[in-house]
Amino acid sequence: MFDLIIKGGSVVDGSGRAAYHADVGVNAGVITAIGALGTDARASVDATGRVVAPGFIDPHTHFDVQLLWDGAARPAIEHGITTVVPGNCSLSLAPLKAADRRALVGMFQQIEELPPAAFTDAFEWSWESFGGYVDALQRKLALNVAPLVGHSVIRLWVMGDAAQQRSANAAEIAAMQQLLRECLDAGAVGLSTSFVDVDERLHPVPSRYAYRAELDALAKVLGEYGRMLQVVPEFYATDLTIARIDQLAELSLKYRIPTTFSPLFDSAATPENVPRTMARVEEQFARGARVWPQVQTRPIDISFSFERPSLFFARFPSWYRVMRLPRDERIVALRDAANVERMVSETGADGGRTFLGKLRVRGGEGAPDDLVGRTLADIADARGESAARCLINVSLEHDLLVPFLAANVGHQDASRVGPLLAHPLVHVGASDGGAHVTSFSTYGDTGFLFSRYVRETAHLSLENAVKKITADTAAIWGLKNRGSIKPGCAADVVVFDAQRIDRGDEHAVFDMPGHGMRYVRHSVGVDTVVVNGAIAYRDGSYTGSSTGIVCT
Ligand SMILES: [Zn+2]
């Protein structure tokens, strides 16, 4: 007698071997049998005509805070995600002294575009230690969580304000090492650090004040546990990224640890970036180092309005400055002729036509009917204005609420991204799940991998695509007994239609704490998601299960 049988499906087991027909039997949360298993079970799932695969693992997320009010990380789980890694990019919710909470929330707000209410309105912040955070997390998880601990918070704990002022002395480095050990003992699966991020005052985050000796000392502790070092390199500059690959490779070889860096984007503006970066990755792997580049599947799409700051304006300093002003001052600045002149000239001699002309007004709240679907170039021509001026005026005329979409800003050329995703040394991930909620949907990248790169372009076989986001991920991160359909493995399973699996349309919802907005995508073609033997999602509904665990 089984607790659960998944019957009659086509098993794609994560190893890369060809799909085969079999039932999958589960007992006590673990896969116990594969074959022709009959019907003797307390529950069953009919998988006829469907693929039965290991649950997908998302290795780069910022679900740290969402998991505290939504243990299913909706809508991640309906896309087949059964394990997520939060705590990336040097930021985690522990270890953190109560006095430093505001500083961390500021960093999350600036870097990951999460609203402050997400940290204050929906849960009680009761912990300081990493173990305390893990306990709070485990209360009602519908999926598994393999959390990283952030270098910036470790530094903040040990050094206080000095964490954003100077390098650490020997005693402070020793204290950070000890603190990292405690986090790893309490369930952290590695350390994350960043070489690029800034806080809400635009000051470098604490991890950026570390000298090499500090990161080396922390990597030494990771070596004691064989755990991951995750890094955000200077991804906008290929030479600097390559220098970081070399630095990571030395740490990987010296301490026998895996390392991973993200993002690695393809872009028409810097076509040499991916080939040069991958050439160095290949050289370092040939030496025995593990430096896994993480590559996302989706193209870069960015939505914004003048209602709040957006990363879209990162390359236009005077726009960026104006967007960060309080709302009333922002409106005053957008009406100030001299200021507008400066903003317009910053977008180029053509009044922003090249950079901004392809922007499109998207539907949704605040979108004027007569403008929805039109490009900014089209609207500007009709009004006899430059694109930049039109963007400002249209926003002012509609109370700053008009939503614009910059589609395919990069990473959209399938003839280049497809082979990259299929590269054996590329770690498919980097969704940023749960972050940048007002700029784009970080949900649905796995569905997109199948619709675009398996069905449409055939850069990956079904079996290889599944392997890339299950068994490969578990192996890279050292997650034990996950990511495969085989006896003894945790019963994390997704049942989907290989002909239909996809991401749905991106749309805005207002379900963040404090009625905050975020962009989401629902799944298409995913029937059933099982986490540790329990059905978490079935036929379009979440079951309310809570069988997720903090897993290492
Ligand atoms: Zn990140």
Side-chain angles (χ1 to χ4, degrees):
M1 169 91 113
F2 293 101
D3 290 344
L4 174 69
I5 290 184
I6 301 163
K7 281 210 68 73
S10 174
V11 175
V12 176
D13 65 9
S15 69
R17 70 178 269 201
Y20 60 94
H21 211 74
D23 307 327
V24 175
V26 175
N27 271 318
V30 174
I31 295 168
T32 50
I34 299 169
L37 302 180
T39 56
D40 192 13
R42 286 177 198 92
S44 71
V45 170
D46 178 9
T48 308
R50 299 289 187 261
V51 167
V52 177
F56 307 145
I57 304 173
D58 192 340
H60 186 128
T61 82
H62 297 280
F63 284 126
D64 308 65
V65 66
Q66 185 179 336
L67 287 166
L68 294 163
W69 76 78
D70 168 20
R74 285 179 185 76
I77 215 167
E78 71 192 64
H79 290 281
I81 307 286
T82 55
T83 301
V84 295
V85 179
N88 279 279
C89 306
S90 97
L91 305 178
S92 56
L93 296 188
L96 191 75
K97 293 170 186 164
D100 293 327
R101 283 175 193 160
R102 201 176 322 154
L104 180 72
V105 170
M107 290 180 223
F108 261 105
Q109 190 184 344
Q110 172 67 26
I111 301 163
E112 310 303 347
E113 300 187 297
L114 283 165
F119 297 82
T120 52
D121 287 20
F123 64 91
E124 197 190 338
W125 200 326
S126 55
W127 63 89
E128 290 195 337
S129 70
F130 201 84
Y133 173 64
V134 166
D135 288 344
L137 207 52
Q138 291 198 116
R139 266 170 226 152
K140 199 177 182 342
L141 284 178
L143 43 60
N144 305 306
V145 180
L148 288 163
V149 59
H151 186 185
S152 283
V153 295
I154 285 192
R155 215 166 195 272
L156 207 50
W157 179 287
V158 169
M159 298 177 69
D161 289 346
Q164 280 179 287
Q165 291 162 358
R166 60 170 173 82
S167 57
N169 61 36
E172 288 162 340
I173 290 175
M176 283 187 235
Q177 285 183 301
Q178 192 46 38
L179 185 55
L180 175 56
R181 269 185 208 104
E182 288 167 23
C183 296
L184 292 164
D185 286 335
V189 298
L191 178 76
S192 69
T193 196
S194 168
F195 293 109
V196 296
D197 290 308
V198 294
D199 69 10
E200 81 285 12
R201 301 164 301 168
L202 307 185
H203 295 180
V205 293
S207 64
R208 293 180 61 190
Y209 289 82
Y211 281 177
R212 280 181 176 238
E214 178 179 325
L215 191 56
D216 189 286
L218 294 172
K220 182 167 188 279
V221 173
L222 293 173
E224 294 165 14
Y225 294 75
R227 282 303 190 178
M228 179 66 87
L229 175 62
Q230 183 268 342
V231 166
V232 188
E234 294 86 340
F235 57 89
Y236 44 81
T238 309
D239 288 324
L240 295 176
T241 299
I242 286 174
R244 292 302 180 194
I245 290 170
D246 292 349
Q247 183 184 1
L248 293 176
E250 295 312 318
L251 293 173
S252 175
L253 289 168
K254 190 168 168 190
Y255 298 117
R256 299 176 180 281
I257 54 169
T259 68
T260 183
F261 68 93
S262 56
L264 172 61
F265 292 128
D266 180 60
S267 146
T270 53
E272 77 292 351
N273 181 48
V274 163
R276 287 188 58 212
T277 303
M278 288 309 298
R280 187 60 66 103
V281 164
E282 287 168 8
E283 280 173 35
Q284 292 296 4
F285 267 92
R287 293 175 67 214
R290 285 171 286 166
V291 189
W292 298 98
Q294 257 185 68
V295 177
Q296 71 180 48
T297 66
R298 66 171 186 268
I300 300 173
D301 294 339
I302 302 174
S303 293
F304 68 90
S305 73
F306 281 27
E307 181 66 9
R308 60 181 77 80
S310 162
L311 50 78
F312 180 75
F313 293 109
R315 59 174 140 169
F316 303 126
S318 63
W319 295 67
Y320 194 68
R321 186 187 64 77
V322 168
M323 293 309 160
R324 289 170 49 83
L325 293 171
R327 200 171 193 283
D328 337 351
E329 292 175 40
R330 201 181 320 150
I331 291 173
V332 170
L334 290 170
R335 292 202 167 115
D336 179 275
N339 182 56
V340 169
E341 197 57 51
R342 195 161 44 241
M343 291 170 71
V344 172
S345 67
E346 202 174 83
T347 61
D350 62 355
R353 196 169 183 96
T354 310
F355 285 128
L356 305 171
K358 288 200 275 294
L359 288 176
R360 210 173 270 282
V361 177
R362 59 181 301 163
E365 200 160 307
D369 286 342
D370 55 324
L371 300 183
V372 171
R374 292 171 65 189
T375 64
L376 187 63
D378 171 38
I379 300 167
D381 287 348
R383 293 166 58 113
E385 293 175 321
S386 72
R389 235 172 249 283
C390 178
L391 179 57
I392 293 169
N393 289 338
V394 164
S395 296
L396 278 173
E397 287 158 23
H398 295 89
D399 203 24
L400 309 189
L401 292 171
V402 186
F404 292 92
L405 168 65
N408 294 324
V409 180
H411 207 65
Q412 76 275 26
D413 183 341
S415 70
R416 298 167 58 87
V417 176
L420 180 63
L421 291 169
H423 192 296
L425 298 180
V426 160
H427 182 12
V428 174
S431 77
D432 250 352
H436 304 294
V437 294
T438 55
S439 290
F440 42 77
S441 167
T442 55
Y443 315 96
D445 287 19
T446 48
F448 188 71
L449 174 67
F450 293 102
S451 66
R452 169 65 61 87
Y453 293 107
V454 176
R455 290 203 301 273
E456 200 179 311
T457 73
H459 282 106
L460 288 89
S461 66
L462 173 68
E463 289 84 352
N464 194 28
V466 167
K467 174 174 180 279
K468 282 273 193 182
I469 53 177
T470 58
D472 281 0
T473 316
I476 289 168
W477 286 76
L479 301 177
K480 287 175 225 67
N481 297 323
R482 291 200 187 268
S484 299
I485 301 286
K486 66 178 182 202
C489 250
D492 297 339
V493 182
V494 50
V495 180
F496 65 88
D497 182 343
Q499 300 311 313
R500 286 185 60 233
I501 186 170
D502 203 347
R503 59 177 194 176
D505 290 336
E506 183 177 83
H507 60 282
V509 293
F510 292 79
D511 64 355
M512 293 291 284
H515 196 60
M517 186 275 262
R518 64 172 178 151
Y519 284 111
V520 298
R521 291 175 186 272
H522 289 300
S523 66
V524 175
V526 175
D527 300 298
T528 306
V529 181
V530 174
V531 176
N532 295 317
I535 295 172
Y537 176 86
R538 186 176 207 170
D539 301 333
S541 302
Y542 291 78
T543 62
S545 65
S546 54
T547 54
I549 61 166
V550 171
C551 68
T552 55

